[in-house]
Amino acid sequence: MSTFTIGLTGGIASGKTHVANLFIKLGVPLLEADEVAREVVAPPSPALAEIATSFGADMLNADGTLNRRALRDVVFADPAALRRLEAITHPAIRARVTAWRAAQTAPYCIYSAAILIEAGMAALVDRVLVVDAPEDVQLRRLTARDGANEVQARQMIATQASRSLRLGRADDVVDNRDETRTVEAQVARLHRHYTSLGSARRSAP
């Protein structure tokens, strides 16, 4: 039986990393999607070999590792190329996440992914937790954190799923519009709830 798993997601500058760190402090096992994405294309993985075959040997650096910038430039400009890349990497990512879930012994664990919903990875988890902030708050954080102007910040937000889509898929929501201690209280409440749900699953016949 796989460990009860929460899918943590949120738009850019929503505060997802802050919430993830609060769960980690509570001792919850957490796997980052970015970490998995790096692992599945590390040499000598089958996915890396398939990328080189499909996109060309110039997608590899001299040391045999993935040339992420070159690949990003290709798929960013070509939706068909992006789908081809996803067809290579997503099965490997799903297998990695599934194996990680099965290995956990805590009442519940968390898979954290910025594009959990867009990438179709919500099927890998039992509940979706969205860290939410209004767009004006995202814009303010992006301009302060990344030095982006408003046009750039809006473009960054537009590359992800809409706020309404994320909230529509959410089982639970952390309201992170003001980054106050209320976020810690929300996480503590969810931790108790998820621990109860996860423990009930483990004790079920």
Side-chain angles (χ1 to χ4, degrees):
M1 179 185 297
S2 293
T3 301
F4 191 74
T5 305
I6 307 304
L8 175 63
T9 192
I12 190 170
S14 65
K16 179 178 71 68
T17 300
H18 175 55
V19 170
N21 287 334
L22 291 174
F23 277 108
I24 290 170
K25 286 181 181 178
L26 291 169
V28 181
L30 185 144
L31 181 65
E32 280 285 354
D34 288 347
E35 175 187 330
V36 177
R38 287 192 297 269
E39 285 181 5
V40 300
V41 295
S45 67
L48 180 62
E50 195 170 347
I51 288 171
T53 299
S54 182
F55 291 92
D58 55 345
M59 293 299 109
L60 302 181
N61 293 311
D63 62 358
T65 58
L66 181 65
N67 186 331
R68 295 179 181 279
R69 177 171 293 181
L71 184 60
R72 186 167 55 244
D73 289 346
V74 170
V75 301
F76 184 77
D78 185 351
L82 177 59
R83 288 192 295 272
R84 199 160 84 245
L85 175 63
E86 289 173 343
I88 295 170
T89 58
H90 283 189
I93 290 171
R94 290 188 182 95
R96 172 72 177 89
V97 175
T98 300
W100 180 81
R101 286 183 62 182
Q104 301 311 305
T105 58
Y108 77 98
C109 58
I110 294 176
Y111 177 54
S112 177
I115 57 170
L116 181 81
I117 294 167
E118 300 95 308
M121 295 295 177
L124 293 174
V125 302
D126 298 293
R127 293 178 74 86
V128 173
L129 171 58
V130 171
V131 182
D132 181 59
E135 187 171 302
D136 64 309
V137 174
Q138 289 178 279
L139 288 169
R140 186 173 69 246
R141 290 175 184 166
L142 281 170
T143 53
R145 183 187 75 186
D146 298 349
N149 61 44
E150 184 173 338
V151 172
Q152 292 169 326
R154 289 188 183 279
Q155 289 174 337
M156 294 163 76
I157 292 171
T159 63
Q160 296 185 319
S162 68
R163 182 186 182 202
S164 60
L165 175 60
R166 275 192 303 273
L167 291 174
R169 296 291 303 276
D171 295 295
D172 307 291
V173 177
V174 168
D175 184 340
N176 192 27
R177 69 185 63 211
D178 56 9
E179 295 186 306
T180 64
R181 289 183 63 85
T182 62
V183 172
E184 293 185 28
Q186 292 176 74
V187 168
R189 177 182 57 79
L190 287 167
H191 177 60
R192 291 191 295 271
H193 181 48
Y194 295 153
T195 298
S196 175
L197 291 175
S199 297
R201 171 183 283 190
R202 287 194 179 279
S203 62

